Amino acid sequence: MLPEPVAVRLGRAVADIAWKRRGKAVRRLESNYARVLPDATPERLAELSRAGMRSYLRYWMESFRLPVWSEERIRNGFEPEGQEHLREALASGRGVVAALPHLGNWDLAGAWATTALGIPFTTVAERLKPEKLFDRFVAYREGLGMEVLPHTGGAAFGTLARRLRGGGLVCLVAERDLSATGVEVDFFGDTTRMPAGPALLAQHTGAVLLPVTLWYDESPVMRGRIHPPVEVPASGTRAEKTSVMTQALADAFATGIADHPEDWHMLQRLWLADLEPRPAPAGGERPAEAAGGEPVSGPRDEPARPGERDEPVRPGERS
């Protein structure tokens, strides 16, 4: 509801205040940037974290304003390279899985797809509590032309597969999955886990798997790159193929993040070396969470300090 220049200045002011407070999220952001740029000085990391917080608040400012942007503004608000990869994949009728890291503003990229290309797409969101908050985020994203599925075990995977077999577009934020079902990959020289879902969907349905990276420059227009397709290996077990494909996604994500680290909004732990072991619950069983209903295990983030919120994710999305 504010004039846009005021909203921009407000977002930047909030970002700078958060950065100066040096809370848990800012410290984690700097730690993650140190993985991306291991030779960076403390001064350089501080500069990056300040720019990163400004980029993060730009994401929020734009996202809240997207429902009142005109279609022309949305069409002109995103200029991705490599559009031919997306157009060719959609024209093939095989369906497309677009996999993105937490770079730039994926809500804007999605709104661009539904507006500029006229293509609805499907994504998955973690259920939030209170339920009203989840419902509001679903309504917001559906208002932008997205179909939002709650993450409820294997049910979401089956619906995504049906959309892809019908030639549809599925978009998934896909560089963080710290459950036991995540696929271990090398990422900036150390090990983390990323979701198996994008690679499995491509294998199950024959869909084209496209990595996508996003970034900001000094203009009001967000930039991006639609990378060449990740091919399904000709041989190997399903697990081996999934591992190879997920590593290819990680490599594409790393390219985009290394080029534009300040637009990578990873305010949480990511690498396994940074995590503490998850204690086993009584009875040795873990809840089904991942697609297909596999049990969850493995590392987790440590609790927030007293009086301090845990590291944030973007509401309404699966991390």
Side-chain angles (χ1 to χ4, degrees), residues 23-88:
K24 184 177 182 181
V26 173
R27 298 195 305 271
R28 177 52 50 190
L29 187 64
E30 281 189 15
S31 176
N32 289 338
Y33 286 159
R35 296 272 190 172
V36 176
L37 300 170
D39 297 327
T41 64
E43 293 77 16
R44 172 60 176 151
L45 292 175
E47 291 174 0
L48 271 178
S49 66
R50 183 177 189 181
M53 291 304 294
R54 287 182 170 186
S55 175
Y56 187 48
L57 265 294
R58 176 174 172 176
Y59 158 80
W60 278 112
M61 185 275 293
E62 288 182 348
S63 292
F64 284 130
R65 296 181 71 88
L66 270 175
V68 298
W69 280 17
S70 67
E71 289 190 4
E72 181 181 6
R73 174 76 184 276
I74 292 173
R75 282 195 299 270
N76 297 329
F78 178 44
E79 292 185 1
E81 306 167 2
Q83 291 187 42
E84 66 276 7
H85 298 307
L86 178 58
R87 296 181 188 275
E88 290 170 6

Side-chain angles (χ1 to χ4, degrees), residues 6-280:
V6 176
V8 171
R9 289 196 298 272
L10 177 62
R12 180 163 290 202
V14 171
D16 287 349
I17 291 169
W19 177 78
K20 288 177 182 177
R21 291 181 63 184
R22 302 274 311 158
K24 184 177 182 181
V26 173
R27 298 195 305 271
R28 177 52 50 190
L29 187 64
E30 281 189 15
S31 176
N32 289 338
Y33 286 159
R35 296 272 190 172
V36 176
L37 300 170
D39 297 327
T41 64
E43 293 77 16
R44 172 60 176 151
L45 292 175
E47 291 174 0
L48 271 178
S49 66
R50 183 177 189 181
M53 291 304 294
R54 287 182 170 186
S55 175
Y56 187 48
L57 265 294
R58 176 174 172 176
Y59 158 80
W60 278 112
M61 185 275 293
E62 288 182 348
S63 292
F64 284 130
R65 296 181 71 88
L66 270 175
V68 298
W69 280 17
S70 67
E71 289 190 4
E72 181 181 6
R73 174 76 184 276
I74 292 173
R75 282 195 299 270
N76 297 329
F78 178 44
E79 292 185 1
E81 306 167 2
Q83 291 187 42
E84 66 276 7
H85 298 307
L86 178 58
R87 296 181 188 275
E88 290 170 6
L90 290 169
S92 72
R94 296 166 53 192
V96 177
V97 180
L100 307 87
H102 290 78
L103 269 172
N105 186 343
W106 80 272
D107 280 323
L108 174 55
W112 173 85
T114 61
T115 303
L117 303 181
I119 303 167
F121 72 89
T122 305
T123 189
V124 176
E126 184 177 11
R127 281 197 174 277
L128 297 175
K129 292 184 179 180
E131 194 77 11
K132 280 186 177 180
L133 180 61
F134 176 77
D135 291 341
R136 290 191 67 176
F137 270 94
V138 168
Y140 153 69
R141 285 178 168 145
E142 287 181 343
L144 298 174
M146 311 177 192
E147 179 188 19
V148 182
L149 305 176
H151 186 271
T152 51
F157 187 93
T159 303
L160 294 174
R162 287 193 294 274
R163 299 293 183 269
L164 292 168
R165 291 191 181 102
L169 172 64
V170 166
C171 299
L172 300 171
V173 180
E175 94 273 40
R176 188 176 190 265
D177 185 348
L178 302 180
S179 71
T181 59
V183 179
E184 290 195 3
V185 296
D186 179 81
F187 198 51
F188 291 103
D190 210 339
T191 304
T192 187
R193 292 193 184 107
M194 294 188 180
L200 288 173
L201 284 166
Q203 292 177 59
H204 277 285
T205 67
V208 179
L209 177 56
L210 296 177
V212 180
T213 52
L214 312 170
W215 67 90
Y216 292 122
D217 57 19
E218 295 304 316
S219 76
V221 178
M222 185 175 70
R223 312 296 174 178
R225 182 185 177 197
I226 301 169
H227 296 252
V230 172
E231 302 293 343
V232 178
S235 60
T237 65
R238 184 175 69 176
E240 289 168 344
K241 292 178 180 179
T242 301
S243 178
V244 170
M245 296 172 72
T246 307
Q247 182 63 61
L249 284 180
D251 294 342
F253 295 165
T255 298
I257 292 167
D259 288 343
H260 307 280
E262 67 279 5
D263 293 317
W264 188 38
H265 309 149
M266 183 49 64
L267 283 72
Q268 297 173 284
R269 290 170 175 80
L270 182 68
W271 284 272
L272 301 189
D274 293 338
L275 303 172
E276 294 186 348
R278 181 193 296 257

Side-chain angles (χ1 to χ4, degrees), residues 278-292:
R278 181 193 296 257
E285 295 181 354
R286 302 189 184 277
E289 180 186 76

